[in-house]
Amino acid sequence: MRLAALLLAGWALALPAAAQGPLDGAALANERQCGACHGLDGRSTVPDMPSLAGQGAEFLVIQLVLFREGLRNAPAMREPARGLSDPQVQALADFYAALPSGPKEDRGLLDAALAARGAQLSAARNCNACHGADYGGRAHLPRINHQREDYLAHALAQYRDGTRVGMDTQMNGVMHGLGDADIAALAHHLAHAP
Amino acid sequence: MIRRHLLGLAAATLALPGLAWAQGAPPAPAWAQGRPAEMAASPLAPHPPRLTVTPPERIPTNALRVPEGFQVELWAHGLPGARVMVRAPNGTIFVGSRGIGRVYAVRDTGTAREVSTFMQGLEAPSGLAMRDGALYVAAMHRVLRVDNVEANLSNPQPVDLTAAFGQATEPHHGWKHIAFGPDGRLYIPRGVPCNICEFDGERFALIESWNPDGGDRRIEARGVRNSVGFDFHPRTGQLWFSNHGRDWAGNDNPSDSLHVNLRRGEHHGFPWCAAGFQDPAVQGRVCNEFPPPVAVLGPHVAPIGTHFYTGAAFPEQYRNALFIANRGSWNRSRLSGFNVVVVREAEGGRLVMEEFLSGLRDDAAQRFTGRPSGLLTMPDGALLVSDEDNGAIYRITYRR
């Protein structure tokens, strides 16, 4: 988090407030220094920062608009999303959607018991119904495999605690009543999905 | 603690054999409550919303169909998520939204429409109402008032009335339509915080009315699962409201419905009964205890705009007829809705429902190209229809 904050401070100084950047997604990602947190290849190595590679373009568009409009509470994204035009949002989303995703190489050892508990919780909530049989996502329903375990836990806790709502309230309902240990198990299971 | 207790009660009452969350499991998640085992693997999910500007050449205006003698044109565009519309005294049209959190202002210069973002960063500002030159905005469990609104388009300073309205904070079905009744009171619905569950009937599944600036709450209608559109009959003043049936009970049940509230506090059936459908997930009361809807709108059509046409430009049979914008289905194998229907009086006072605007649903390809949401009669008798998916407003006129 500290690294991200430092990078963001530098970013804010470097870019004029009303910058109108390029319409090429890669150039835009470079200009807004998205890679500093999300990885130059869209695979994050920064704690609590999500990987974006291979994420659905429709999902990414919605999130970028929510950041831009101040509707999703993520302070680190406030400046990077400021002033993005709709075509820029689309270009950034298309850029990250086209990057290949993959299991994180540094995801740590599998705790089989913890992952099994997570799989059980996932089955009880039909996570696959929306996120796909392989958790690869579709359209606006995000990919939740190939993701950092710490970020997954963070996002799930936000839904449970009502600090993130999203476009509708589906995930708040899904997470209702789960404890921190449940969230840890779910995140571990998802992070170790193929 | 109270909420947890109620939800726990709900899980116990609704537990059905074969449901994974039944005995000893955590309370059922809102989306899964009442979902039968055979639908557990269903791939149905809400459609992705479009939050970016749709350029006018990609808006399907040319595909729209209206009855003979009517014309439809693209009136305004560039309003992603456009839903409810209200008209201020000097002609500004305010347009609410849900996911994108904005209230737009549209000014008609005669030859073109100027669209600006009037407010933003609100959580689901889907309810708008006008009174004495002030705009009321209902966002998720918040109520704001902007006085003398047309003189403050560039710098609104809303008065926060949230505390005076004491709305439940549960997010699910917390977005709302609002309108002033002929009694001068502000009508606010409150949907259930779930798909189907036991709930506190004094707080949820209601249409309430309030003093304009809060206080003196009255329950006008009960047993209303989720109404996102209502209006008052131009002659009788009666409250007519549309209601969304619950999900995960099948492709064809229950239907969404249209009701008239004949007396204050009348109970319309939820969770036991919806449009004549006796819900198998809940026991205790039966359909014939409740007044039937005045019209059955169809399964999962999702009625939003529910609006009496008060103009004089349309043919006689449409005067004081009720137009309903169906935003369209998601919890159904084949698409339904994505159109505007009209409910009008035929011979002998019998109500008939006819499709009025179509062309946004492709049955062969099973895709849709727009989602009608809001409706508004203009002073010249034209009818405006907003399209949430395309961020557009269409204008329908009649010429002999």
Side-chain angles (χ1 to χ4, degrees):
Chain A
M1 281 303 274
R2 190 169 300 152
L3 171 64
L6 281 171
L7 288 166
L8 283 167
W11 182 91
L13 290 173
L15 195 73
Q20 282 298 307
L23 268 182
D24 170 68
L28 203 51
N30 186 47
E31 179 199 86
R32 303 228 166 195
Q33 300 187 21
C34 307
C37 292
H38 297 292
L40 292 174
D41 59 355
R43 299 189 194 189
S44 165
T45 56
V46 180
D48 294 328
M49 294 290 161
S51 294
L52 304 178
Q55 192 56 273
E58 279 161 301
F59 171 77
L60 292 171
V61 164
I62 291 168
Q63 302 311 309
L64 282 167
V65 170
L66 294 182
F67 289 132
R68 181 189 70 193
E69 305 284 323
L71 290 165
R72 179 175 161 189
N73 179 25
M77 279 304 294
R78 197 172 295 151
E79 284 305 319
R82 192 187 296 279
L84 285 173
S85 69
D86 284 358
Q88 288 177 320
V89 164
Q90 188 69 53
L92 271 172
D94 290 341
F95 169 67
Y96 280 107
L99 293 177
S101 75
K104 282 192 60 56
E105 295 85 359
D106 59 345
R107 60 182 166 178
L109 292 176
L110 175 72
D111 177 337
L114 190 59
R117 168 74 182 139
Q120 210 174 29
L121 287 163
S122 170
R125 278 160 181 73
N126 290 315
C127 302
N128 298 107
C130 287
H131 295 284
D134 63 351
Y135 298 120
R138 58 182 164 112
H140 63 310
L141 305 163
R143 169 186 292 284
I144 51 175
N145 66 352
H146 301 177
Q147 189 53 276
R148 293 186 63 89
E149 188 170 336
D150 53 8
Y151 177 73
L152 288 164
H154 167 75
L156 291 170
Q158 281 197 313
Y159 282 123
R160 180 200 56 193
D161 300 338
T163 55
R164 179 174 174 186
V165 174
M167 280 303 299
D168 55 42
T169 50
Q170 300 285 332
M171 276 303 297
N172 303 98
V174 169
M175 292 305 295
H176 181 82
L178 291 188
D180 289 346
D182 299 323
I183 286 176
L186 270 169
H188 192 71
H189 164 64
L190 294 170
H192 283 84
Chain B
M1 280 314 284
I2 289 170
R3 183 178 166 215
R4 178 165 301 236
H5 173 70
L6 285 168
L7 286 166
L9 201 73
T13 312
L14 295 179
L16 292 170
L19 288 193
W21 44 265
Q23 293 296 322
W31 66 274
Q33 284 161 354
R35 184 170 175 167
E38 63 269 24
M39 295 188 86
S42 165
L44 296 173
H47 304 295
R50 207 187 305 171
L51 300 187
T52 53
V53 168
T54 305
E57 66 274 12
R58 286 179 52 198
I59 296 172
T61 316
N62 293 334
L64 296 174
R65 298 288 171 264
V66 285
E68 197 178 342
F70 288 91
Q71 295 83 38
V72 56
E73 62 181 316
L74 180 62
W75 188 74
H77 57 89
L79 315 88
R83 279 171 71 110
V84 63
M85 299 175 285
V86 295
R87 187 180 179 277
N90 294 328
T92 308
I93 306 295
F94 292 98
V95 185
S97 68
R98 220 176 90 187
I100 200 166
R102 293 180 184 170
V103 178
Y104 300 98
V106 184
R107 299 284 302 172
D108 190 351
T109 65
T111 53
R113 261 59 58 192
E114 290 172 355
V115 176
S116 60
T117 300
F118 171 66
M119 297 173 83
Q120 58 191 332
L122 296 170
E123 207 172 14
S126 60
L128 300 180
M130 285 297 308
R131 179 175 178 270
D132 298 337
L135 177 71
Y136 285 69
V137 180
M140 201 86 85
H141 62 76
R142 291 182 72 192
V143 182
L144 307 173
R145 189 190 72 216
V146 183
D147 292 320
N148 197 13
V149 64
E150 287 180 288
N152 293 290
L153 289 179
S154 57
N155 184 28
Q157 301 289 330
V159 180
D160 194 334
L161 303 174
T162 301
F165 281 97
Q167 295 292 297
T169 56
E170 281 80 346
H172 200 54
H173 292 150
W175 53 89
K176 42 184 70 78
H177 176 73
I178 59 170
F180 281 100
D183 53 4
R185 293 169 63 81
L186 187 63
Y187 283 66
I188 307 181
R190 173 61 232 206
V192 286
C194 58
N195 176 27
I196 181 169
C197 55
E198 290 285 321
F199 52 88
D200 181 349
E202 298 300 309
R203 293 178 66 226
F204 297 104
L206 302 173
I207 298 177
E208 308 166 345
S209 76
W210 296 73
N211 277 340
D213 295 324
D216 191 28
R217 171 183 184 260
R218 288 182 201 156
I219 293 176
E220 300 287 345
R222 297 174 184 274
V224 181
R225 179 178 172 274
N226 190 32
S227 176
V228 201
F230 54 81
D231 201 357
F232 302 88
H233 193 285
R235 283 199 307 268
T236 67
Q238 284 166 335
L239 169 66
W240 289 56
F241 65 89
S242 54
N243 185 30
H244 289 217
R246 65 112 149 172
D247 299 317
W248 303 118
N251 283 326
D252 297 321
N253 276 309
S255 266
D256 295 340
S257 49
L258 176 69
H259 302 257
V260 182
N261 200 48
L262 291 175
R263 52 182 177 78
R264 179 174 301 150
E266 192 163 42
H267 197 299
H268 295 271
F270 186 81
W272 298 278
C273 182
F277 172 73
Q278 184 75 48
D279 202 308
V282 204
Q283 277 79 47
R285 298 185 70 178
V286 293
C287 274
N288 65 18
E289 293 180 51
F290 307 105
V294 293
V296 174
L297 303 177
H300 305 287
V301 294
I304 308 287
T306 302
H307 175 76
F308 282 105
Y309 175 77
T310 51
F314 284 9
E316 182 63 32
Q317 71 261 36
Y318 296 108
R319 312 272 170 86
N320 296 335
L322 185 77
F323 286 79
I324 299 176
N326 290 318
R327 185 170 172 264
S329 64
W330 67 267
N331 191 242
R332 188 169 197 272
S333 302
R334 293 184 64 78
L335 298 179
S336 62
F338 303 93
N339 60 358
V340 176
V341 299
V342 58
V343 177
R344 61 179 185 83
E345 271 185 36
E347 309 76 51
R350 187 171 56 92
L351 289 180
V352 294
M353 181 171 79
E354 298 159 345
E355 191 166 53
F356 184 76
L357 179 143
S358 60
L360 295 171
R361 189 187 72 231
D362 181 341
D363 286 333
Q366 282 300 299
R367 57 188 290 271
F368 63 89
T369 53
R371 308 194 82 173
S373 280
L375 300 165
L376 182 67
T377 307
M378 293 291 273
D380 66 356
L383 181 71
L384 299 185
V385 179
S386 67
D387 178 342
E388 181 179 13
D389 201 46
N390 289 296
I393 299 173
Y394 310 113
R395 176 173 180 263
I396 301 174
T397 51
Y398 180 76
R399 201 183 309 130
R400 257 182 303 259

